């Protein structure tokens, strides 16, 4: 099979250096990438870098290799165009159909999906001119990823930062696999919990678990891509925020419960992908627990944590709210899963078998999604995104049935 052809447009912002990592991720995962920088982009990262990393010639203008008609061919042949970073100027040109260099010509001739990853100062992003240009591009079917909030060039911080290259890469991979037309979660508020809670014993120690948070992040990212407003409640994941998602950081099960209850109040669906500690130490030592010569350590006494999934399932914040739980099992997986689904009272339970290569920390997952209606949806071994998409298919069906 031919490699998918990706055009990486780079416009003139300091975040151009991050596009090098995006380029690497794209080429290493089997994409044929042609980089089309603007002349301004080359002030930040030179043509030699783009050419060496992509293994292809690089030009900014339509006057090189004219016999190959590059201003038309590059766009026509692409399976995906991604512009990262997309400056206010490039967004404006794209929205108005200007074509004064190779990138803007390519944007006019491309008939494939187009993804823009904007990066600029907050004032420029919030300016009505930029906002209207973004709205125009989205109305025409382009994907404009929301910029991240954080450190900008110089001393400023705010909205306008380029999302992490890994996030832009995931957005590209998803568009290539599934197209751009899915908006079945548009207008919905979705809450996802992710990661593993930590229950402190003293200021330096805690009881924790091995959940990486990757499955929850994949759920948040894909829900946002399907048009939802997403609140991600993240417990100790240490991962960059997925683009366009509101992230609430928590530490313990009690903090997670508080954040979930608050966000669930107006949510259409809640997915509990977090590994919540069932127990916490009964006491917290304000000072570090010291070992004492010749003495056995004090036993650690545990108390139960609230069961958040059971609580939100029994006491639904809204009629028709869809609630999804996760269960990691080692033996008798389906029978245990069925019992857990009934005990917790949720609508769907994603049951994973825990074992080597599977579940904790890996990029891949395999599961069966059990429904309270008796349904059973197997999801073969594959990327965590694929499992996430199946969960949203099932959630969207249930939400659709309710309206
Ligand atoms: N969960 C929760 N609150 C807890 C514990 C778990 O909301 N205090 C949620 C998890 O987010 C997950 C699901 O419940 O969606 C399954 O958790 P699990 O720990 O497997 O369930 P338990 O009832 O604790 O079952 P087990 O007997 O296997 O420990």
């Amino acid at each position: 099979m031919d490699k998918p052809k990706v055009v990486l447009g780079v416009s003139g912002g300091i975040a151009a250096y991050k596009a090098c990592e995006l380029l690497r991720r794209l080429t290493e995962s089997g994409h044929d990438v042609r980089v089309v920088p603007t002349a301004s982009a080359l002030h930040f990262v030179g043509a030699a870098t783009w050419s060496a990393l992509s293994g292809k010639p690089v030009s900014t203008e339509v006057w090189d290799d004219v016999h190959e008609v590059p201003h038309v061919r590059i766009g026509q042949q692409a399976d995906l165009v991604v512009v990262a970073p997309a400056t206010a100027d490039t967004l404006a040109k794209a929205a108005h159909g200007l074509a004064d260099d190779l990138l803007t010509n390519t944007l006019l001739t491309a008939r494939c999906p187009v993804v823009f990853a904007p990066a600029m100062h907050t004032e420029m992003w919030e300016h009505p001119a930029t906002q209207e240009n973004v709205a125009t591009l989205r109305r025409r079917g382009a994907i404009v990823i929301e910029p991240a909030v954080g450190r900008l060039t110089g001393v400023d911080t705010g909205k306008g930062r380029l999302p992490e290259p890994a996030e832009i890469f995931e957005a590209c991979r998803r568009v290539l696999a599934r197209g751009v037309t899915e908006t079945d979660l548009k207008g919905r508020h979705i809450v996802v919990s992710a990661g593993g809670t930590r229950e402190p014993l003293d200021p330096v120690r805690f009881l924790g678990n091995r959940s990486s948070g990757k499955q929850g992040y994949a759920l948040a990212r894909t829900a946002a891509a399907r048009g939802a407003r997403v609140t991600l409640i993240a417990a100790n994941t240490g991962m960059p925020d997925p683009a366009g998602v509101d992230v609430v950081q928590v530490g313990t099960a009690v903090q997670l419960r508080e954040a979930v209850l608050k966000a669930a109040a107006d949510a259409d669906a809640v997915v509990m992908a977090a590994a919540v500690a069932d127990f916490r130490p009964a006491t917290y030592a304000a000072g570090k627990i010291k070992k004492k010569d010749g003495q056995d350590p004090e036993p650690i006494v545990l108390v139960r944590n609230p069961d958040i999934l059971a609580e939100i399932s029994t006491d639904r914040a809204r009629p028709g709210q869809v609630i999804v739980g996760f269960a990691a099992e080692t033996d008798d997986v389906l029978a245990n899963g069925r019992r857990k689904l009934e005990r917790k009272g949720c609508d769907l339970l994603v049951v994973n078998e825990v074992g080597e290569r599977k579940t904790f920390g890996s990029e891949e997952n395999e599961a069966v999604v059990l429904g309270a209606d008796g349904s059973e949806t197997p999801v073969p071994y594959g990327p965590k995104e694929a499992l996430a998409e199946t969960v949203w298919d099932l959630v969207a069906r249930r939400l659709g049935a309710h309206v």
Side-chain angles (χ1 to χ4, degrees), residues 193 253 256 271-279 304-310 324-329 340 343-344 349:
S193 72
L256 183 74
V271 180
M272 288 292 299
V276 185
D278 288 320
F279 308 98
R304 281 293 289 267
N305 268 330
D307 188 329
I308 308 162
L309 179 61
V324 185
F326 270 70
E329 303 287 346
K340 196 170 282 182
R343 201 168 67 238
K344 302 260 186 181
L349 190 76

Coordinates of all heavy atoms in Angstrom, one line a residue, residues 193 253 256 271-279 304-310 324-329 340 343-344 349, ligand 1:
S193 N -12.8 10.8 33.6 CA -11.8 10.8 34.7 C -10.7 9.8 34.2 O -10.9 8.9 33.5 CB -12.3 10.3 36.0 OG -12.6 8.9 36.0
A253 N -8.7 10.2 45.9 CA -10.0 9.7 45.5 C -11.1 10.7 46.0 O -12.1 11.0 45.2 CB -10.3 8.4 46.1
L256 N -11.1 13.6 43.6 CA -11.6 13.1 42.3 C -13.2 13.1 42.4 O -13.8 13.6 41.5 CB -11.1 11.7 42.0 CG -11.5 11.2 40.6 CD1 -10.8 11.9 39.5 CD2 -11.3 9.7 40.5
V271 N -17.6 9.2 32.0 CA -16.8 8.0 31.8 C -15.7 7.9 32.9 O -14.8 8.8 33.0 CB -16.1 7.9 30.4 CG1 -15.3 6.6 30.3 CG2 -17.2 8.0 29.3
M272 N -15.8 6.9 33.8 CA -14.9 6.8 34.9 C -13.7 5.8 34.4 O -13.8 4.6 34.7 CB -15.6 6.2 36.1 CG -16.5 7.2 36.8 SD -15.6 8.5 37.6 CE -14.6 7.7 38.8
A273 N -12.7 6.4 33.8 CA -11.6 5.6 33.4 C -10.5 5.6 34.4 O -9.5 4.9 34.3 CB -11.1 6.1 32.0
A274 N -10.6 6.5 35.4 CA -9.6 6.6 36.4 C -9.5 5.3 37.3 O -10.6 4.7 37.6 CB -9.8 7.8 37.3
A275 N -8.3 4.9 37.7 CA -8.2 3.9 38.7 C -8.2 4.5 40.1 O -7.3 5.2 40.5 CB -6.9 3.2 38.5
V276 N -9.4 4.3 40.8 CA -9.6 5.0 42.0 C -9.2 4.1 43.2 O -9.7 2.9 43.2 CB -11.1 5.4 42.2 CG1 -11.3 6.3 43.4 CG2 -11.6 6.2 40.9
A277 N -8.4 4.6 44.1 CA -8.1 3.7 45.2 C -9.3 3.4 46.0 O -10.1 4.3 46.4 CB -7.1 4.4 46.1
D278 N -9.5 2.1 46.3 CA -10.7 1.7 47.1 C -10.5 2.1 48.6 O -11.5 2.2 49.3 CB -10.9 0.2 47.0 CG -11.4 -0.2 45.6 OD1 -12.3 0.6 45.1 OD2 -11.0 -1.2 45.1
F279 N -9.2 2.2 49.0 CA -9.0 2.5 50.4 C -8.0 3.6 50.6 O -7.2 3.9 49.6 CB -8.3 1.3 51.1 CG -9.1 0.0 50.9 CD1 -8.8 -0.9 49.9 CD2 -10.2 -0.3 51.7 CE1 -9.5 -2.1 49.7 CE2 -11.0 -1.4 51.5 CZ -10.6 -2.3 50.5
R304 N -12.3 2.8 53.9 CA -12.9 2.8 52.5 C -13.0 4.2 51.9 O -13.3 5.1 52.6 CB -14.3 2.2 52.6 CG -14.4 0.7 52.7 CD -13.8 0.0 51.4 NE -14.7 0.1 50.3 CZ -15.6 -0.8 49.9 NH1 -15.8 -1.8 50.7 NH2 -16.4 -0.6 48.9
N305 N -12.7 4.3 50.6 CA -13.0 5.5 49.9 C -14.4 5.4 49.3 O -14.9 4.3 49.2 CB -12.0 5.6 48.7 CG -10.8 6.4 49.1 OD1 -10.9 7.3 50.0 ND2 -9.7 6.1 48.5
P306 N -15.1 6.5 49.0 CA -16.4 6.5 48.4 C -16.3 5.8 47.0 O -15.3 6.0 46.3 CB -16.8 8.0 48.3 CG -15.5 8.7 48.4 CD -14.6 7.9 49.2
D307 N -17.3 5.1 46.6 CA -17.3 4.5 45.3 C -18.1 5.5 44.4 O -19.3 5.6 44.4 CB -18.1 3.2 45.3 CG -18.0 2.4 44.0 OD1 -17.9 3.1 42.9 OD2 -18.0 1.2 44.0
I308 N -17.3 6.2 43.6 CA -17.8 7.3 42.8 C -18.7 6.8 41.7 O -19.8 7.4 41.5 CB -16.6 8.2 42.2 CG1 -15.7 8.6 43.3 CG2 -17.2 9.4 41.5 CD1 -14.3 9.0 42.8
L309 N -18.3 5.8 41.0 CA -19.1 5.2 39.9 C -20.4 4.8 40.4 O -21.5 5.1 39.8 CB -18.3 4.1 39.3 CG -19.0 3.4 38.1 CD1 -19.3 4.3 37.0 CD2 -18.1 2.2 37.6
A310 N -20.5 4.1 41.5 CA -21.8 3.6 42.1 C -22.6 4.8 42.5 O -23.8 4.8 42.2 CB -21.5 2.7 43.3
V324 N -20.4 5.4 32.2 CA -19.6 4.3 31.8 C -18.5 4.0 32.9 O -17.8 5.0 33.3 CB -18.9 4.6 30.5 CG1 -18.1 3.4 29.9 CG2 -19.9 5.1 29.4
G325 N -18.3 2.8 33.2 CA -17.2 2.4 34.1 C -16.2 1.5 33.4 O -16.4 1.1 32.3
F326 N -15.1 1.4 34.1 CA -14.0 0.5 33.6 C -13.7 -0.6 34.7 O -13.9 -0.3 35.9 CB -12.7 1.3 33.4 CG -12.6 1.8 32.0 CD1 -13.5 2.9 31.6 CD2 -11.7 1.3 31.1 CE1 -13.4 3.4 30.3 CE2 -11.6 1.8 29.8 CZ -12.4 2.8 29.4
A327 N -13.4 -1.7 34.2 CA -13.0 -2.8 35.2 C -11.8 -3.5 34.7 O -11.8 -4.0 33.5 CB -14.1 -3.7 35.4
A328 N -10.8 -3.7 35.5 CA -9.6 -4.5 35.1 C -9.7 -5.8 35.9 O -9.8 -5.7 37.1 CB -8.3 -3.7 35.5
E329 N -9.8 -6.9 35.2 CA -10.0 -8.2 35.9 C -8.8 -9.1 35.5 O -8.3 -9.0 34.4 CB -11.3 -8.8 35.5 CG -12.5 -7.9 35.8 CD -12.9 -7.8 37.3 OE1 -12.3 -8.6 38.0 OE2 -13.6 -6.9 37.6
K340 N -20.0 -6.8 38.2 CA -19.6 -5.5 38.6 C -20.5 -4.5 38.0 O -20.9 -3.5 38.6 CB -18.2 -5.2 38.2 CG -17.6 -4.0 38.8 CD -16.1 -3.9 38.6 CE -15.3 -4.8 39.5 NZ -13.8 -4.7 39.3
R343 N -23.6 -4.4 40.0 CA -23.4 -3.8 41.3 C -23.2 -2.3 41.3 O -23.7 -1.6 42.1 CB -22.1 -4.4 41.9 CG -22.0 -4.4 43.4 CD -20.9 -5.2 43.9 NE -19.5 -4.8 43.5 CZ -18.7 -5.5 42.9 NH1 -19.0 -6.8 42.5 NH2 -17.5 -5.1 42.5
K344 N -22.5 -1.8 40.3 CA -22.3 -0.4 40.2 C -23.5 0.4 39.6 O -23.7 1.6 39.9 CB -21.1 -0.1 39.3 CG -19.8 -0.8 39.7 CD -18.9 0.1 40.5 CE -17.6 -0.6 40.8 NZ -16.6 0.3 41.5
L349 N -19.9 -1.0 30.9 CA -18.7 -1.3 31.6 C -17.7 -1.8 30.6 O -17.9 -2.8 29.9 CB -19.0 -2.3 32.7 CG -17.8 -2.5 33.7 CD1 -17.7 -1.3 34.7 CD2 -18.0 -3.8 34.5
Ligands
LIG1 N1 -14.4 3.4 40.9 C1 -14.9 4.5 41.5 N2 -14.7 4.7 42.9 C2 -13.9 3.8 43.6 C3 -13.4 2.7 43.0 C4 -13.6 2.5 41.6 O1 -15.6 5.3 40.9 N3 -13.7 4.1 44.9 C5 -14.6 3.2 39.5 C6 -13.5 3.1 38.6 O2 -13.2 4.4 38.0 C7 -13.9 2.1 37.5 C8 -14.8 1.2 38.2 O3 -15.2 1.9 39.4 O4 -14.7 2.8 36.5 C9 -14.2 -0.2 38.6 O5 -13.4 -0.1 39.6 P1 -12.9 -1.4 40.5 O6 -11.9 -0.9 41.4 O7 -12.5 -2.5 39.5 O8 -14.2 -1.9 41.2 P2 -14.4 -2.5 42.6 O9 -15.8 -2.3 42.9 O10 -13.5 -1.9 43.5 O11 -14.1 -4.1 42.3 P3 -13.0 -5.0 42.9 O12 -13.7 -5.9 43.8 O13 -12.5 -5.7 41.6 O14 -12.0 -4.2 43.6

